[in-house]
Amino acid sequence: MLMLALDTATPAVTVALHDADGDRTLAAVRKIDARRHGELLLPCVDAVLGEAGRKLAEVTDIVVGVGPGPYTGLRVGLATAEAFAAALGQRVHGVCTLDGLAYASGLTEPFVVATDARRKEVYWARYEDCRTRVTEPAVDRPAAIEEQVAGLPAVGAGAVLYESVFRGVRGDLPTDQSAEALARLAAERLARGEELLPPRPLYLRRPDAKVPAGYKVVTPK
């Protein structure tokens, strides 16, 4: 099983090529730029394939982070994963982006993961350990969840951004998403026979675009 993993749900554009049968990452790359997901993703895919000396046609499984994340960046990764899957005739598996960050932490105790949701909010979830999420992903203002995260170690760029609320920030652990961790987690779950998520976005918020008030629909006669 040769697995191509990618995630664009956070400012990190991250791609990895993972040999699930040999349980090793062949190549991985990550670029941090919240405004250039569309420009950076395909060159990152080319880079990992080139470094590993493999061709896209050899990929048997595609893993994509489904968020939660802002609309534009998240759609870039999902659309690309779906396009690769259609072209190759292979499977595409979704994994919660927060789960990838949790897995990368390696923590064996209860903790919280938080990413920056902008608008002074965070996407977050609580975990029993690095493999076990115990709450559904949510989006909230940090002050609204202070009691729920009090006393817990915290992982992720959202926790770092609001350290006055996430007081247990683990600065020694990764703050950005890793496609390498996402691939390893997906491979573990598939090996146990688990069904992964469909490749559909977890937005958690209504879109900014709205039909203007008083909009008049014009129909042909």
Side-chain angles (χ1 to χ4, degrees), residues 1 9 24 30-31 37 57 59 71 81 93 97 124-125 128 142 163 169 171 206:
M1 182 186 293
R24 62 195 180 100
R30 179 171 55 195
K31 304 286 186 181
H37 295 88
V59 170
Y71 179 89
H93 311 285
T97 294
W124 70 286
E128 183 66 28
E163 284 188 283
V169 171
R206 290 182 175 275

Side-chain angles (χ1 to χ4, degrees), residues 141-165:
R141 288 187 175 272
I145 59 172
E146 188 166 6
E147 290 186 6
Q148 299 178 64
V149 303
L152 292 174
V155 176
V160 173
L161 188 60
Y162 298 101
E163 284 188 283
S164 61
V165 172

Side-chain angles (χ1 to χ4, degrees), residues 143-199:
I145 59 172
E146 188 166 6
E147 290 186 6
Q148 299 178 64
V149 303
L152 292 174
V155 176
V160 173
L161 188 60
Y162 298 101
E163 284 188 283
S164 61
V165 172
F166 297 93
R167 298 179 182 178
V169 171
R170 290 289 301 269
D172 57 320
L173 297 176
T175 58
D176 295 303
Q177 178 65 303
S178 161
E180 184 177 358
L182 204 71
R184 294 201 312 269
L185 177 59
E188 277 191 15
R189 289 176 173 175
L190 289 171
R192 293 196 297 265
E194 294 183 24
E195 283 289 330
L196 301 188
L197 298 173

Side-chain angles (χ1 to χ4, degrees), residues 21-165:
D21 295 323
D23 192 26
R24 62 195 180 100
T25 299
L26 304 179
V29 65
R30 179 171 55 195
K31 304 286 186 181
I32 309 297
D33 193 325
R35 299 181 180 275
R36 299 178 63 223
H37 295 88
E39 298 173 48
L40 295 173
L41 181 55
L42 290 180
C44 287
V45 172
D46 284 341
V48 297
L49 290 171
E51 182 181 336
R54 308 298 286 267
K55 297 184 181 299
L56 183 61
E58 298 177 66
V59 170
T60 61
D61 290 81
I62 298 167
V63 175
V64 63
V66 299
Y71 179 89
T72 303
L74 181 53
R75 292 296 299 182
V76 169
L78 286 163
T80 301
E82 290 273 36
F84 284 156
L88 298 171
Q90 302 291 7
R91 295 171 293 177
V92 56
H93 311 285
V95 177
C96 174
T97 294
L98 300 179
D99 289 359
L101 275 161
Y103 185 84
S105 76
L107 292 174
T108 57
E109 59 189 289
F111 66 103
V112 61
V113 172
T115 61
D116 183 15
R118 304 175 188 171
R119 305 183 195 171
K120 299 182 179 180
E121 293 180 329
V122 292
Y123 297 118
W124 70 286
R126 289 176 55 173
Y127 290 78
E128 183 66 28
D129 54 51
C130 67
R131 292 176 173 83
T132 311
R133 178 160 40 84
V134 294
T135 65
E136 291 298 314
V139 58
D140 288 291
R141 288 187 175 272
I145 59 172
E146 188 166 6
E147 290 186 6
Q148 299 178 64
V149 303
L152 292 174
V155 176
V160 173
L161 188 60
Y162 298 101
E163 284 188 283
S164 61
V165 172

